[in-house]
Amino acid sequence: MAFTLRSVKVPPNSASLEEAKSRVFDFFRQACRSIPTIMDIYNLDDVVTKSELRSSISSQIRKNSHVTNPKVIDLLLFKGMEELNNIVEHAKQRHHIIGQYVLGRQGLAQDLDTKDEGTSGFLKNFYKSNYF
């Protein structure tokens, strides 16, 4: 799978918005087809399902759905291809994949708690002051 991804290159410019959108759909299909390989490489079966990874990829693509300039879409597509290539070629470690695509914006479970529970009144007043 890694060999086929190396040979894929993003053309420098899309002629129209429709062409750029079709390239995005092709990239999404290619990313979804590489999910089983990624699951095997990084041993993610115990952490996430294939459908959750697929929805994470689609949310990353939908995050930029407001872009209408074909050159910008091509740039974002190139960045996505590089990211996918790095993941498939095992240039990232397992915790990078889990942090970026499994946990995402939720953060770690230990970071979900409030930070002010164990602080004293003096520290709360100090943090509210103008020293920051």
Side-chain angles (χ1 to χ4, degrees):
M1 184 71 180
F3 179 73
T4 58
L5 287 177
R6 279 188 222 143
S7 63
V8 175
K9 302 240 185 260
V10 176
N13 289 323
S14 294
S16 65
L17 183 62
E18 291 78 24
E19 183 181 351
K21 285 185 179 183
S22 70
R23 288 183 183 163
V24 171
F25 288 129
D26 291 340
F27 168 71
F28 179 71
R29 278 189 221 102
Q30 183 180 11
C32 287
R33 287 179 184 146
S34 65
I35 286 176
T37 305
I38 293 168
M39 297 277 289
D40 289 339
I41 290 172
Y42 294 101
N43 195 16
L44 296 175
D45 293 321
D46 58 338
V47 179
V48 69
T49 63
K50 293 177 185 176
S51 64
E52 289 173 342
L53 273 182
R54 191 177 308 112
S55 66
S56 175
I57 292 170
S58 67
S59 70
Q60 292 285 329
I61 291 174
R62 285 190 186 119
K63 189 168 61 174
N64 296 311
S65 64
H66 64 280
V67 178
T68 56
N69 187 350
K71 291 183 180 182
V72 176
I73 293 173
D74 287 339
L75 176 70
L76 293 170
L77 189 59
F78 178 75
K79 287 183 177 182
M81 291 292 288
E82 286 295 316
E83 182 75 14
L84 181 62
N85 195 14
N86 286 340
I87 290 172
V88 170
E89 289 185 357
H90 210 286
K92 293 190 172 212
Q93 294 181 2
R94 184 175 191 256
H95 67 278
H96 295 144
I97 304 300
I98 292 172
Q100 283 182 320
Y101 301 107
V102 176
L103 295 176
R105 295 184 184 182
Q106 297 171 356
L108 298 174
Q110 62 194 11
D111 291 340
L112 294 176
D113 297 334
T114 59
K115 306 261 187 229
D116 293 335
E117 288 179 3
T119 57
S120 66
F122 172 76
L123 285 177
K124 288 180 185 177
N125 290 333
F126 178 75
Y127 292 144
K128 290 179 185 178
S129 67
N130 292 331
Y131 291 112
F132 288 116

